[in-house]
Amino acid sequence: MSSNRQQDAALLGALFSTRGQLVSRHDLARAAKLSPNDLEQRLAPYIEAGYPIEFHPQGSIGLREPPDIWCAEEIVGRCPARENSSVPAWDPVLLAEASSTNDVAREQARKGARSGFLVAASRQTTGRGRLGRNWESPPDRGLYVSILLRPDLPMTEAGKLTILSSVATVDAVETVSGLRPQIKWPNDLMAGGRKLAGVL
């Protein structure tokens, strides 16, 4: 991720961590390693995209609850950095459409993408579920995501990653929404008797 995008990610991360509150320009600028005079220009594209960022006469800036928008800088800004490093934990690519996010992640893995590469799409044209079954991926009805991990695990232990990912997804949903889904073995998350997510 370029230095400009890292600064934008830090800026959005600081706004999200204080959303609903007013933050001084100097505090935001310090978090993103920017000049306070650069904030309006750097935030302009996100405001145009629909982020409810407000500039107040006293010199402070605030973010109301954001709309449902995709933004790679937001993802990076809201995620912790790698342990003992300032490098972002995730390297996201967001697509309107993909044949399959797994295909994109696999192709990038073969090209040497690092662990933490993330690809998300709002539609898949050839999505697949378990056992290669066809997976319906209509536009604007779901979020289809693949994450490249390079765990230090023997192949005999790789099967554990599905259940670990399911538990992590349950925890993430609960953190964001307060709702704790149930896991339907081996890879579905259920809420209110309906499927919320599937993990491969």
Side-chain angles (χ1 to χ4, degrees), residues 65-170:
E65 194 64 31
D68 192 8
I69 297 173
W70 289 18
C71 168
E73 289 78 16
E74 177 193 331
I75 293 172
V76 172
R78 295 178 73 177
C79 290
R82 291 171 179 266
E83 193 172 344
N84 302 319
S85 171
S86 61
V87 177
W90 304 109
D91 185 14
V93 172
L94 309 182
L95 304 172
E97 179 179 295
S99 57
S100 160
T101 58
N102 273 354
D103 289 346
V104 175
R106 185 180 296 110
E107 178 184 356
Q108 293 303 311
R110 289 174 177 151
K111 292 179 178 178
R114 69 178 176 87
S115 179
F117 174 79
L118 178 153
V119 56
S122 61
R123 178 175 183 252
Q124 297 181 121
T125 55
T126 56
R128 296 181 301 280
R130 286 185 67 235
L131 307 176
R133 297 186 183 108
N134 191 43
W135 177 273
E136 294 293 328
S137 311
D140 303 320
R141 297 290 301 275
L143 179 60
Y144 313 103
V145 180
S146 293
I147 302 172
L148 172 61
L149 300 176
R150 297 185 182 274
D152 187 17
L153 282 175
M155 286 302 295
T156 54
E157 300 289 305
K160 294 179 180 178
L161 291 175
T162 297
I163 190 62
L164 289 172
S165 299
S166 295
V167 172
T169 305
V170 166

